[in-house]
Amino acid sequence: MKAVFVDANPTLSAVAERLHRADDPQLVINRQPDITSEQLPAVLGNAEIAIIDHTHLPTDIARQCAGLKHVVFLGTGARSYMNPEELAEAGIEVHIIKGYGDTAVAECAFALMWAAAKGFARMDRAMRVGNWLRSDAVQLTGKTLGLVGFGGIAAEMARLAAGAGMQVIAWNRSPKTHPGVRFVELDELLAASDVVSMHLLLTDETRGIISRERIARMRDGAILVNTARGALVDEDAMIQALESGKLGHAALDVFVTEPMPAGHPLTRLDNVTLSAHSAFRTPEASDNLIQAALNHCRRISGQGQQQ
């Protein structure tokens, strides 16, 4: 059985080479992080397994991949890049990877929250062009952090925030409990939180969950942090709320369109801190991610040998 890592960047290429074992299924590493969807059939050939980091796999393209039976997506957000139900109908199973970067993403969300509260990005931009810009900051100790969605990343965020003296509340689609976290309804969370941090998977049900109406229910001047998926938030409504001051700041690692187009309205706002969908990029998370992908390949290969 053969696997092809179709869009490996230099960092993940090196990790895959290091962690791949001699007794593993054959692994071809295609060092082409900017590969297009249309190039995938030729790169995959007759391979049964595609390992995909960030490349879109339309169903009509997948049908052109003669041997493809499994897609191992490097993360949880496969729906942003492919349609798992349509692929299943075509005989292709999609496998995702959870938990590999919980600490890394939570640390990024935590850092974005602090950068937003202290105005670091705005001061940095101004000082680089010779302006001695001083601005008032938000003191986060004693403030309320609201976590929208509560999985492994949110649990790590709660740990960090509690250590910083913040009150932590959360909403989750299914009932949960967690030490030190009070679970409330979503509207209550939005009204009570000084900082709202997004930690949901993107599904048909969660797309646009932070709507124009829900932004209106947020506390005036609140900080919105999103390290989950851009489409969870009504981006146009968020921009208008930032322009009006209804939202005090948005600290964002994810966007509706990625990479962010040049001249995007968010790039022109002072009360926005941006990072390039890189929350998960730490050596520890990369090792966890590739090891999990290889474990998927090992399990798939073992199933194939048993049949």
Side-chain angles (χ1 to χ4, degrees), residues 14 30 64 76 103 112 116 119 133 145 152-153 157 176 188 259 266-267 302:
N30 182 51
Q64 299 172 35
T76 58
T103 298
L112 283 170
L133 177 67
L145 168 66
I153 296 170
M157 184 69 165
K176 281 197 174 180
E188 180 182 348
L266 285 169
T267 67

Side-chain angles (χ1 to χ4, degrees), residues 144-148 169-171 184-198 208-224 233 246-247:
T144 298
L145 168 66
L147 303 171
V148 180
I169 60 178
W171 169 82
V184 299
E185 294 300 318
L186 181 55
D187 284 349
E188 180 182 348
L189 180 147
L190 296 173
S193 298
D194 301 288
V195 181
V196 173
S197 187
M198 303 300 299
I209 191 169
I210 304 301
S211 60
R212 185 177 301 275
E213 293 74 21
R214 286 197 165 118
I215 289 173
R217 294 172 192 149
M218 292 176 67
R219 180 171 289 186
D220 289 348
I223 295 169
L224 177 63
V233 180
K246 169 64 181 178
L247 281 178

Side-chain angles (χ1 to χ4, degrees), residues 232-297:
L232 295 170
V233 180
D234 182 330
E235 193 169 79
D236 291 338
M238 177 181 66
I239 289 169
Q240 291 175 14
L242 288 163
E243 291 172 336
S244 71
K246 169 64 181 178
L247 281 178
H249 204 106
L252 310 171
D253 187 56
V254 289
F255 310 92
V256 172
T257 302
E258 297 182 5
M260 176 179 279
H264 192 284
L266 285 169
T267 67
R268 299 194 290 268
L269 295 175
D270 280 336
N271 55 341
V272 174
T273 300
L274 307 171
S275 60
H277 202 153
S278 58
F280 58 93
R281 293 174 68 94
T282 67
E284 295 84 355
S286 293
D287 275 18
N288 292 340
L289 178 65
I290 297 301
Q291 190 65 260
L294 292 173
N295 285 339
H296 272 307
C297 294

Side-chain angles (χ1 to χ4, degrees), residues 33-290:
D34 57 351
I35 189 173
T36 65
S37 300
E38 291 72 21
Q39 294 172 306
L40 291 176
V43 168
L44 283 167
N46 290 319
E48 296 91 344
I49 305 171
I51 300 174
I52 296 180
D53 179 38
H54 57 267
T55 304
H56 289 268
L57 179 63
T59 305
D60 61 335
I61 295 292
R63 292 181 190 276
Q64 299 172 35
C65 302
L68 186 61
K69 297 298 180 186
H70 298 272
V71 173
V72 177
F73 180 75
L74 298 183
T76 58
R79 290 180 185 278
S80 297
Y81 299 89
M82 62 198 73
N83 186 316
E85 288 77 22
E86 289 183 359
L87 291 177
E89 291 175 1
I92 301 168
E93 184 178 359
V94 176
H95 311 264
I96 62 173
I97 298 171
K98 297 180 178 180
Y100 70 93
D102 287 356
T103 298
V105 177
E107 287 185 355
C108 177
F110 191 72
L112 283 170
M113 175 179 70
W114 281 91
K118 305 305 177 184
F120 289 141
R122 183 180 180 219
M123 287 188 284
D124 179 80
R125 289 191 297 268
M127 291 177 69
R128 288 175 186 273
V129 295
N131 295 328
W132 184 252
L133 177 67
R134 303 172 77 186
S135 59
D136 292 336
V138 175
Q139 182 168 299
L140 289 174
T141 300
K143 296 297 193 299
T144 298
L145 168 66
L147 303 171
V148 180
F150 200 88
I153 296 170
E156 283 290 275
M157 184 69 165
R159 176 181 65 82
L160 295 170
M166 299 185 76
Q167 305 299 314
V168 183
I169 60 178
W171 169 82
N172 196 61
R173 288 183 295 164
S174 58
K176 281 197 174 180
T177 60
H178 192 81
V181 178
R182 183 168 63 91
F183 285 82
V184 299
E185 294 300 318
L186 181 55
D187 284 349
E188 180 182 348
L189 180 147
L190 296 173
S193 298
D194 301 288
V195 181
V196 173
S197 187
M198 303 300 299
H199 299 285
L200 284 172
L201 289 175
L202 180 63
T203 67
D204 291 340
E205 291 73 30
T206 62
R207 185 179 299 275
I209 191 169
I210 304 301
S211 60
R212 185 177 301 275
E213 293 74 21
R214 286 197 165 118
I215 289 173
R217 294 172 192 149
M218 292 176 67
R219 180 171 289 186
D220 289 348
I223 295 169
L224 177 63
V225 178
N226 193 359
T227 55
R229 282 294 182 269
L232 295 170
V233 180
D234 182 330
E235 193 169 79
D236 291 338
M238 177 181 66
I239 289 169
Q240 291 175 14
L242 288 163
E243 291 172 336
S244 71
K246 169 64 181 178
L247 281 178
H249 204 106
L252 310 171
D253 187 56
V254 289
F255 310 92
V256 172
T257 302
E258 297 182 5
M260 176 179 279
H264 192 284
L266 285 169
T267 67
R268 299 194 290 268
L269 295 175
D270 280 336
N271 55 341
V272 174
T273 300
L274 307 171
S275 60
H277 202 153
S278 58
F280 58 93
R281 293 174 68 94
T282 67
E284 295 84 355
S286 293
D287 275 18
N288 292 340
L289 178 65
I290 297 301

